[in-house]
Amino acid sequence: MTKLRLIALLLALVPAIGLAAGAGPKLETSGTDLSDKASLQRGAGLFMNYCAGCHALSMHRYSRIASDLELSPELVEQNLMPAHAKIGENINTGINTGDGNAWFGKAAPDLSLIARAKLGGPDYVYSYIKGFYIDETRPLGWNNTVFPGASMPNVLWDLQGIQRPVYDQGADGQSHITRLELASPGRLSPEEFDRVARDISAFLQYVAEPAALKRESVGVWVLLFLGFFTFIAYLLKLEYWRDVH
């Protein structure tokens, strides 16, 4: 039994060890802040307008967005929901599996837990959104530095612009992408698009764990309570053992 527990622990540590050793794609720091309600609200709008056509958030409800992000149900119904949906329903937007396989080679995944499923969390989402570049060898003409061979097109290209890769020959004799350069600007400046990517990343971070909003807000008070309780318990101990020699 001890050996089995040790093996399980080692398997659990493999992803963290790989991340610490620099395995996988290089991720940018997203700088998301779950306490920034304005960012989460913008992220919700961006996701519903640009991403929800293919990707569902089936583990989340429209009504939960309204409550957690301090939006009125009327505002959510008017701006974040398709006409046929109801406020209490799960966010089952997106294309069906058959159409997804036919159009993109694979159905678009549900993104309810993407910010928890990937190493790096919101940093992965942020880097992925910013990592699209034009690649004529791909069926849809796009590729991604974070997820090479991705079947997804860059749905934000009109905001970001079109990026092209800059290659350099590595020690192994193979060409590697060193950076992406903006070949054709979009409607937003790079700084403005960074905020777009950050807002969507923050929204998906919230969706992956809605309880984090309240947990982080009450965490400080819990620590203060524990500190105060520890102090009272210490005074009680001194009083209890005062006459004991």
Side-chain angles (χ1 to χ4, degrees):
M1 184 62 70
T2 302
K3 289 183 178 180
L4 291 177
R5 290 179 178 176
L6 179 59
I7 291 173
L9 177 61
L10 290 175
L11 289 175
L13 289 176
V14 164
I17 294 172
L19 183 62
K26 183 178 180 180
L27 304 181
E28 296 186 50
T29 302
S30 60
T32 56
D33 180 4
L34 291 181
S35 67
D36 187 347
K37 288 293 178 64
S39 175
L40 296 178
Q41 292 168 356
R42 291 193 302 266
L46 288 163
F47 182 90
M48 294 304 176
N49 279 285
Y50 286 94
C51 310
C54 294
H55 297 282
L57 300 174
S58 62
M59 298 182 184
H60 210 69
R61 296 179 184 273
Y62 295 106
S63 56
R64 184 67 186 265
I65 290 179
S67 174
D68 289 344
L69 305 191
E70 300 176 359
L71 299 171
S72 67
E74 294 76 20
L75 190 62
V76 171
E77 290 175 346
Q78 293 170 10
N79 296 279
L80 302 181
M81 294 170 51
H84 64 273
K86 299 184 182 299
I87 189 69
E89 293 179 347
N90 292 68
I91 307 175
N92 291 311
T93 52
I95 57 178
N96 62 57
T97 302
D99 289 339
N101 290 332
W103 298 342
F104 303 113
K106 187 175 182 181
D110 188 301
L111 298 183
S112 297
L113 299 176
I114 188 67
R116 295 188 66 184
K118 296 294 185 179
L119 290 175
D123 292 348
Y124 179 94
V125 178
Y126 178 77
S127 302
Y128 178 80
I129 292 173
K130 294 183 60 180
F132 280 96
Y133 63 91
I134 201 75
D135 183 352
E136 291 82 359
T137 66
R138 298 293 301 158
L140 296 178
W142 295 97
N143 212 329
N144 194 281
T145 55
V146 174
F147 189 7
S151 299
M152 175 181 164
N154 184 10
V155 296
L156 299 172
W157 71 269
D158 64 319
L159 302 180
Q160 181 186 29
I162 298 176
Q163 298 185 119
R164 289 192 177 275
V166 176
Y167 293 90
D168 190 17
Q169 188 169 4
D172 56 0
Q174 301 293 322
S175 294
H176 300 276
I177 297 177
T178 58
R179 59 186 175 87
L180 299 177
E181 63 179 14
L182 195 61
S184 176
R187 294 195 286 116
L188 301 180
S189 68
E191 293 76 19
E192 291 172 329
F193 186 76
D194 284 351
R195 193 182 79 163
V196 165
R198 182 177 303 109
D199 291 342
I200 296 175
S201 302
F203 174 68
L204 289 176
Q205 181 184 5
Y206 147 72
V207 168
E209 190 181 4
L213 288 178
K214 292 184 178 179
R215 187 188 71 238
E216 293 184 6
S217 65
V218 303
V220 174
W221 296 105
V222 171
L223 292 176
L224 289 174
F225 170 78
L226 291 175
F228 177 75
F229 179 80
T230 301
F231 176 71
I232 295 298
Y234 176 74
L235 293 180
L236 180 62
K237 171 183 175 296
L238 293 180
E239 182 65 25
Y240 184 82
W241 290 101
R242 173 178 299 178
D243 298 324
V244 178
H245 300 284

